[in-house]
Amino acid sequence: MTIDLSTGTLKAFPSAPPEPREPVFRRLTRRPETGALAGTVLVFVFFAIIGGQNFVSVGGTSAWLNIASELLIIAIPVGLLMIAGELDLSVGSVLAASSMTLAIVSGTLGLPMIIGVVAALGIGALAGFVNGIITARTNVPSFVVTLGMNFALVGITLGLSRTITGTTSVPLDVDPFFKAIFGSLIGGQFEVAIFWAIGVALVIAWLLQMTPWGNWVFAIGGDKESARATGIPVARVKISLFVMSGLGAAFVGVIQTSLYNGAQTTSGQSFVFNSIIAVVIGGVLLTGGYGSVFGMVLGTLTFAIVNQGIYYTGWSSDWASFILGALLLAAVLMNNTFRRLALASGPRKPRKK
């Protein structure tokens, strides 16, 4: 404010003209999940039309939601690792090892369920910690480290299971309380894991967007050396991400063991590539530094819809893998297109008059 000496009144400083508002389309193209949203809507509409009433029924909806919920709990930590420029190929064997740990501890050995659950989650955390330590301290590519962990855990799980139980499939009489919170079906069709998946997504989304840790994850994926030079604890962040990935896989192992009243040494391997496919469909780049939790949710839903929708079309299920492969390629191309638009677009400069 200033005073007009001739009149003695207050006058405001002339304000700068407001910047022109960026068009909605340009703002949307900046979002990493835009391509994933388009893909989710398209595949849902496609299977709703081709699959008909059966696909959109309660039973059809529960089929793909149940698949998506378990996958999402693993896919989100895997996606965070990919944003940071790393991979985790050990989630399948971690899931199997954790499942068998719970079944053996609380089934074969007869210890309380709480001990079995803690032991199962501990296996996941330990595997993730070892992956993180080796990757961060030796600079061996995480692809190699986690692939080695995958094979090692498969052998350890199989060997110990045969030694302790004499079999590769262990039953478990699940405690009613743990059955209710981990392995129950709502309305007889919807897994309680759906609520766990929603909770995980909300917590991780908050951490990624609202905390310094989330900024560090993106910075490490963008340029690890620059991140280290600015004081970001690169090794510590990577280790935390691998531990989260191990815990996510172990938690799904607990859910499956509680749901199916037992565990098998062969379970979990499909999650290795399915989780990567889901997050790539959701807009996460394999090169790191780009992605969002919302995009991962959409990518997981898209994967689950395609995975289950094929059975409602009347087509041969032999085509399911082909469709998923084509979807992955299309998603990568679409996401790259939106990313180029995001990098190239910017606020339009006002025209000179």
Side-chain angles (χ1 to χ4, degrees), residues 179-193:
K179 184 74 172 180
I181 63 175
F182 292 128
S184 61
L185 294 174
I186 301 171
Q189 298 188 75
F190 295 91
E191 292 183 18
V192 72

Side-chain angles (χ1 to χ4, degrees), residues 77-91 128 131-132 135 140-147 149 238 241-242 245 272-273 275-277 279-280 284-288:
V78 168
L80 293 182
L81 270 171
M82 290 173 62
I83 291 175
E86 304 293 347
L87 279 174
D88 189 353
L89 301 181
S90 66
V91 291
N131 284 335
T135 301
V140 175
S142 56
F143 177 91
V144 176
V145 174
T146 57
L147 186 61
M149 176 64 74
K238 285 190 176 184
L241 290 172
F242 277 107
S245 182
V272 176
F273 292 107
S275 59
I276 296 175
I277 291 172
V279 298
V280 169
V284 177
L285 294 183
L286 289 169
T287 53

Side-chain angles (χ1 to χ4, degrees), residues 38 42 51 97 122 143 145 193 247 267 303 319 327:
L42 286 175
F143 177 91
V145 174
L247 283 173
S267 62
F303 176 90
W319 292 99
L327 175 65

Side-chain angles (χ1 to χ4, degrees), residues 8 12 26 31 50 53 64 121-122 133 145 149 154 172 188 204 235 238 246 265 269 277 297 307 313 347:
R26 283 178 173 268
R31 302 297 307 168
I50 303 299
Q53 185 62 36
W64 56 265
L121 295 178
I133 283 288
V145 174
M149 176 64 74
V154 168
L172 174 65
I204 299 300
K238 285 190 176 184
T265 57
Q269 288 303 316
I277 291 172
V297 172
N307 185 275
T313 62

Side-chain angles (χ1 to χ4, degrees), residues 291-347:
S292 72
V293 172
F294 184 51
M296 297 177 206
V297 172
L298 292 172
T300 303
L301 290 175
T302 302
F303 176 90
I305 290 170
V306 173
N307 185 275
Q308 293 298 300
I310 188 71
Y311 299 104
Y312 293 92
T313 62
W315 303 342
S316 172
S317 60
D318 296 339
W319 292 99
S321 295
F322 167 76
I323 294 175
L324 285 172
L327 175 65
L328 174 62
L329 179 60
V332 171
L333 294 175
M334 182 182 296
N335 291 334
N336 285 342
T337 299
F338 276 104
R339 181 169 180 267
R340 285 196 300 271
L341 289 172
L343 294 176
S345 63

